[in-house]
Amino acid sequence: MKLLTIRMIAGANIASVIVMLLVGFSDRINPSDFSLFSTLGMAFPIFVIINLAFLLFWLIFKWRMAWIPIVGFILAYVPISIYMPLNPSQSVPDGALKLLSYNVCSYGGNFLKYEDCFTKVLEYVTQESPDIVCLQEDVDSWRGNVFKKYAEQGLVYNDTAVLSNNPLSFNALGIHTRYPIIHRERISFPSLNNGSVAWWLKVNGDTLIVVNNHLESCHLSLADRRQYRQIIHGEMSSDSARRESKLLLVKLADANAKRSGQIRAVREYALKHSQYPVIVCGDFNDTPISYSRHTMADSLTDCFVTTGRGIGLSYNQKAFSFRIDHVFCNEGVTPYNCVIDNKMDASDHNPLTCWLKISTKH
């Protein structure tokens, strides 16, 4: 019985390792082809924890079997290092610029936590003193007094691109920078409320392209989010949980499929203009183990993965905590010390900062 039990537990461990690997490398799956499978990446940390639990079990009860979870972690090194990079702090060279990317939730506060959220965001920008600020849901920046407030902090060049303006939605992308804006260009792809905009900046005699993104949202209502919390907390009957889980997965899969075309359009734009240094940042609405992140990282450098530390949860709502805000750059730019600040609570997102050094002249 003891031998049979050990073999059964070992079999379960091997099965968990196989699933962890399948989930960890699911970011290769194009959501346009297999939309439901594209949602697997959200479950990756669960299987990492399961494998860790097996490792602790073997170390306590039969240490010789610990090779199973250890081999699993070795095989899953790539997705683990993407999900939770552990890079040392880097020395920032002279001449590097500081980028701040932040979804400000329409300056509405963390579900109205602050009466004047714009002032809270402005105080944070003043404290961080970035050279380029890329904001998503920057819906108030079209007001002249807002531009004036940013200009008082040295961000004298300001622009806002409206993505949607209708009775159901108003959304915009904004840039606030110390560098002159040469040109603005909307990257074309279908979306009702989201979009991507490329701003061409003149940086110390060089041309830098900054692409600010707010890619397809998952369109989960407050009721959907409440039901999801009930499911993971076991507060729903099994039949209801099964039914609601399927509905949530369909919504997520549909958003992933739409996002796949958008991310390819952004990547193609960056590659088309690769003769210039290019930075791509913003709210991608997709996790580290996703087709969106993998597709961008296949052509550009993921700044957080190569220079950041830890999980880096940029979306801060309970039960929905993931890193969905990203910064990428091409070979014309070298990143340093990419950080997601979980202490700034003026939005449902956490801000992301990164130092970037333009390494070529154009």
Side-chain angles (χ1 to χ4, degrees), residues 1-2 8 26 40 63 130 163 216 218 224 226 241 245 299:
M1 286 296 297
K2 181 179 179 181
M8 290 177 63
S26 65
L40 292 175
W63 65 269
L163 302 177
E216 197 70 26
C218 295
D224 292 332
R226 183 169 58 253
S245 296
S299 304

Side-chain angles (χ1 to χ4, degrees), residues 256-278:
N256 289 349
K258 292 178 180 178
R259 204 179 299 115
S260 65
Q262 298 172 1
I263 203 71
R264 288 195 298 271
V266 174
R267 183 188 65 174
E268 289 169 8
Y269 184 91
L271 293 177
K272 181 180 178 181
H273 299 90
S274 59
Q275 69 271 32
Y276 298 102
V278 177

Side-chain angles (χ1 to χ4, degrees), residues 57-68:
F57 173 84
W58 292 125
L59 290 175
I60 294 171
F61 294 103
K62 197 171 183 63
W63 65 269
R64 287 188 179 89
M65 300 298 292
W67 68 268
I68 299 174

